[in-house]
Amino acid sequence: MHHKPASSLSAVQIAMLVLGALMVVFIWALFVFQTTTARTEALQARQSEHRNLALIVSESLKQMTDRAKAMGSLVVEDPRQESAGFERLLALLAEDPVFNRLSVYTGSGNLLYASHPDSARATLSQWDEQLERQLEQVGFVPMLPLRSADSEAIGASPGWRLPFLVPVRGKAQESLARLILIELDIGYLAGLLQHVELGPRGFIQVLDSEGEEWMRADTSGVIVGGVRMSRIQPALNGRVSSGQATFEVNDELYQYVFVTRANHGFTVSVAQPHDEILGPLRSDQNKQLLLNVLMTVLVGGIVYWLVRALTEQESVLRALQVSEQRNQQLIERLEGEHARSSRAASIDHLSGLYNRRQFLDIASDTLNDQRRNRRLSALLFIDLDRFKSINDSLGHQVGDLLLQAVAGRIQRMLGPEDVAARFGGDEFVVLLAGDRTEADIEHWAAGLTSHLSATYELDGTELNSSPSVGIAICPRDGQTIENLIRCADAAMYSAKKAGRGQYRFFDQSLNLKDVEEFHLEQSFAEALRNREFILHYQPQVCLETMEIIGYEALVRWQHPEFGLLFPDRFIPVAEHSGFVIPLGLEVLRLACAQINQWQAEAVPIQPVAVNVSPIQLAQPEFCRRVLEMIREHDLNSGQLELEITETAMLDANAVENLHCLKAAGVRLSLDDFGTGYSGFAHLEAVPVDKLKIDRSLISKICNSHDDSPIVSSTIILAKRMDLKVVAEGVETREQLVHLKVAGCDIAQGYHLSRPMPADDVPDFIREFSGAEAVV
C-alpha cells in the first residue's frame, strides 16, 4: 500500500526561499536597530557629558561669586575702616587671576571705589529693578546682571569680562549697605576648557536670566560671533535646573544642553552639531553595511544552492518514500517490542511488582508529591523469616511460589497511591503514600505483618512464614528514598533480632549500634575485595638496651563511610559473621608484604608480630598457608611472629599448628596472659617464645613497694621457663622503671610510641635511635 508523501518538494523549496528572505530581513532589521540604538546611545552619552560639563562650569562660577561675596565682607559702612578694606580688596584682586576688575558702589548704585577708575561704571542704576527682585526673592546672593539692561553691552559682541553683582548686607542685616561689581576674566575661564572635548564646532555659553548671551567659548578660547541661536527661557524656579533641546542652523542640527542657577541669575549651555557627535560611528556603520551586503549575497547563494540541490534530489526522495513505508512498518513493530521490553525491564518477572530500579524512580516522584502536600509517608522494608531454610529444604519452586503469594498479599493491601517492589531474594519494599497519620501507618504495618504470617497453601503444601518489617517515616527519619531505605533496613534488622513476625519503627537512639554492626557486616566482603584494611605498627623496646627489637602489627579498617575503625569495632562482627578467617589471612598478607617492602628499602626492621584468632588457628591448613605466604614474599620464617591467646591452647588442631609453625622457625608469643583461665601448667604443652602480660595488670603499677605482686611473680616464673616477658600497655615512666627493675625484657605502649602507619616507621627509627635512652 502506497502512501502520499507528507509534503511535496515544492513546499520545501518555498520554505527555503521564505527562510532565506526572513534571514535577509532579520539582518537588515538588526542593522537598522543597531544603527538607531548606537545613534541614540551616542547622543545620550554626549548629552550626559555636556550636562556634567555645564554643571561643573556653573559650579565654578558659583564658587567664584561666593569668593567675591567673601571678599565683600571686607567692605563696611564705617568710613574710617572702609579705605583699609579697599586696600585689602585690591591686594586680593592682584593675587586672584580670575577677578579682572572690582568696583564698590553705595546701596543706591553710586561709585565709591574702583580698581580701574578709567573704565569703571559710574552708576549701577540700570540694574536696580533686577537687584530689587533678587533681594526680594533670594536675598543677598551674587547674581549675573541682565545684558539687555547694560547700555555698554547692547549691540556689542560678547565682551572679555563677565560682571557679577555682589550685594553686601549692612549692620541692620536687612539693609543693602554696598554693591560690589566683580568682573571675571573670560579669557581665563575659556582657557580652562582647552582639555574638554567639544569638537571643532561645539561651544559653551554663559547666559543671563533672560537667555541673553554674555559669553561664548570653545576649546580654542573665546568666540566672537558664531552661529545665531534661538533664545531660550531658562526655568527660574529651584536652585539648579537643567534641560536639553535641539535646534537647526543652516540645515545643521545641534544638540543643546543647559544648566540654570536661578538664584544667581545665569545659565550655562553647551551646544554641538549632531554630525560631530555621530562622526565616529559612521566608520563602524559603513563596515557593518558592507558586512550586511556580503551576508545578504551569501544567504542568497546558499538558498539558491539548496533549492537546486533539493530539485536534484527529487528522484531520490521518491525512491526513499517507498522504503520509508516499509521502514514505518518495522518501526511500529519495534515500538511494540520496546513497550513490552520496557515493561519487562521495570517489573519483577517473579512477583509482578516493580523491580528496584523502577521503584526508586517512581517512589522518588511520589515522595516529592507527598512532601509538597505536607503529608506523611512511610517506607516499609520487609524480609521473610527463615526463607533460606524453606528454599533449601522444600526447593526453589516452593520458594518462588511463596514469593509470589507474599507479593499478591502485599498488592491487595496497597492503596491507590502506594507503591510496592521486590528488591531481590526475599526482600520487599512498600512506600505508603496518601493522607495517613502515624497511627494509620502503624495499623497498616500490623495488618501487613498479621496478613503475611497467615498459613500459605502452596502446590498442595501448607507453609507457615512470617515477615520482619522495618518502618521509616518521612520527613522524620529521612527526606529522600535512599535515606528512608537505609533507615527502614536498619529497623528491619532490629525487628529480626527481636524475633519472628515483628515490625519496628526506626529509632536512631535505640538502633545506632545495630545499624552500624549491620552495615559493617554487610560491607565486610566488599572491604576485603577492595583492600580497605591497613596495618599500624607499634614498636617493642628492649628494656636493657632501650633498642627497638620488633613491632606488633595492629589492623585498622579504613571504612569509606565511618572513617578509620579500630579492631574493637569490627573484630566481634568478623567473628560472629564468619569473616574472621579471611580477615586473618589478609592481615598476614599485609604484614608479609610490608616486611618485604622494608627489606627492599633497607629499613632495619626486626620481627613483626601478628595477632591470630583461635578460630583461624584451629583450621587444619593454617600452618601450611602461613609458610606458603612467607615463601611467596621471600621472607625468613624468623621475621614473622604470631601472637595467640590462652584459649587457643585448648584446641588440639591449634596446638598441632603451633608445633608445625615452631618447627618451621616462626616465633610464637602468648598474648593477654593473666586474663584467661589457663596458667603456667598449660605452657609446657605450647611451644611459645614470649609471654605478654596483659595491659590490665600493667595499669595497676605506680612504682610503690606493694605494686602488683602478680606482675613480679609472673616475670619470675616466666624466666624460670626460659620465656621472654613482654609488658604491653606501658603508659608512664614509673611503670617502665618498675618493669625494668622487676626483670621484664620487653615493653610496648603509648609511653614509648603509639601505633603508626608504615610510612612513618623509618622516620621513627631515626628519631628513636638518636634520642637519649629512657631510664
Side-chain angles (χ1 to χ4, degrees), residues 374-662:
R374 301 195 177 194
R375 297 187 295 189
L376 285 180
S377 304
L379 191 137
L380 284 72
F381 200 101
I382 306 164
D383 185 89
L384 298 181
D385 299 326
R386 299 176 55 252
F387 177 77
K388 186 177 184 303
S389 61
I390 294 173
N391 219 15
D392 293 341
S393 59
L394 300 179
H396 291 285
Q397 182 179 359
V398 175
D400 291 345
L401 291 175
L402 176 60
L403 293 176
Q404 291 173 350
V406 169
R409 294 185 181 185
I410 292 174
Q411 206 160 21
R412 285 191 289 272
M413 292 189 64
L414 296 178
E417 299 182 49
D418 301 335
V419 184
R422 175 174 173 248
F423 269 24
D426 60 337
E427 294 179 343
F428 295 86
V429 175
V430 175
L431 177 65
L432 296 182
D435 192 8
R436 288 184 173 96
T437 64
E438 193 164 343
D440 296 334
I441 293 171
E442 184 172 7
H443 179 74
W444 196 94
L448 175 70
T449 304
S450 175
H451 198 45
L452 296 184
S453 299
T455 303
Y456 294 87
E457 181 72 28
L458 303 174
D459 198 18
T461 302
E462 288 190 356
L463 184 66
N464 290 316
S465 182
S466 60
S468 293
V469 183
I471 309 169
I473 304 293
C474 175
R476 184 187 67 195
D477 301 325
Q479 300 188 21
T480 64
I481 286 295
E482 291 77 9
N483 289 339
L484 291 176
I485 290 174
R486 185 162 53 250
C487 294
D489 192 9
M492 181 275 296
Y493 183 75
S494 178
K496 188 175 285 291
K497 292 183 68 175
R500 299 175 186 174
Q502 301 288 328
Y503 66 88
R504 289 287 185 272
F505 283 88
F506 178 78
D507 187 338
Q508 185 70 33
S509 62
L510 296 177
N511 296 331
L512 186 60
K513 183 178 179 182
D514 292 340
V515 170
E516 182 177 308
E517 288 185 0
F518 177 74
H519 285 291
L520 289 179
E521 181 178 340
Q522 295 296 315
S523 58
F524 229 109
E526 185 178 0
L528 288 169
R529 287 194 302 270
N530 297 338
R531 301 286 173 84
E532 294 177 4
F533 293 98
I534 60 174
L535 296 183
H536 284 193
Y537 297 86
Q538 187 172 36
Q540 297 176 341
V541 178
C542 175
L543 292 180
E544 183 177 353
T545 62
M546 292 307 295
E547 295 179 352
I548 301 172
I549 62 168
Y551 291 86
E552 180 180 2
L554 302 170
V555 66
R556 306 286 188 262
W557 185 353
Q558 189 64 57
H559 197 282
E561 181 179 353
F562 300 125
L564 189 67
L565 301 180
F566 289 85
D568 58 335
R569 297 273 297 278
F570 60 86
I571 292 297
V573 178
E575 289 177 344
H576 71 68
S577 62
F579 284 105
V580 69
I581 294 176
L583 176 61
L585 292 176
E586 174 67 6
V587 171
L588 282 170
R589 186 196 66 79
L590 289 172
C592 291
Q594 188 60 59
I595 296 172
N596 180 270
Q597 180 181 341
W598 279 331
Q599 189 171 267
E601 296 172 356
V603 178
I605 292 300
Q606 305 298 330
V608 174
V610 178
N611 289 281
V612 179
S613 167
I615 301 174
Q616 185 180 11
L617 192 60
Q619 298 299 309
E621 299 295 321
F622 178 73
C623 178
R624 181 183 59 79
R625 288 187 178 182
V626 173
L627 296 179
E628 286 178 356
M629 203 173 295
I630 291 174
R631 287 192 296 270
E632 180 183 344
H633 291 87
D634 195 22
L635 302 179
N636 297 323
S637 56
Q639 292 178 283
L640 186 67
E641 180 178 312
L642 301 183
E643 294 189 358
I644 64 174
T645 58
E646 297 177 10
T647 55
M649 299 184 298
L650 305 178
D651 187 275
N653 288 335
V655 173
E656 183 179 348
N657 280 325
L658 289 176
H659 282 284
C660 175
L661 292 168
K662 180 64 176 179

Side-chain angles (χ1 to χ4, degrees), residues 102-105 111-118 120:
L102 182 145
S103 302
V104 181
Y105 296 83
L111 180 65
L112 286 178
Y113 169 78
S115 62
H116 296 72
D118 296 337

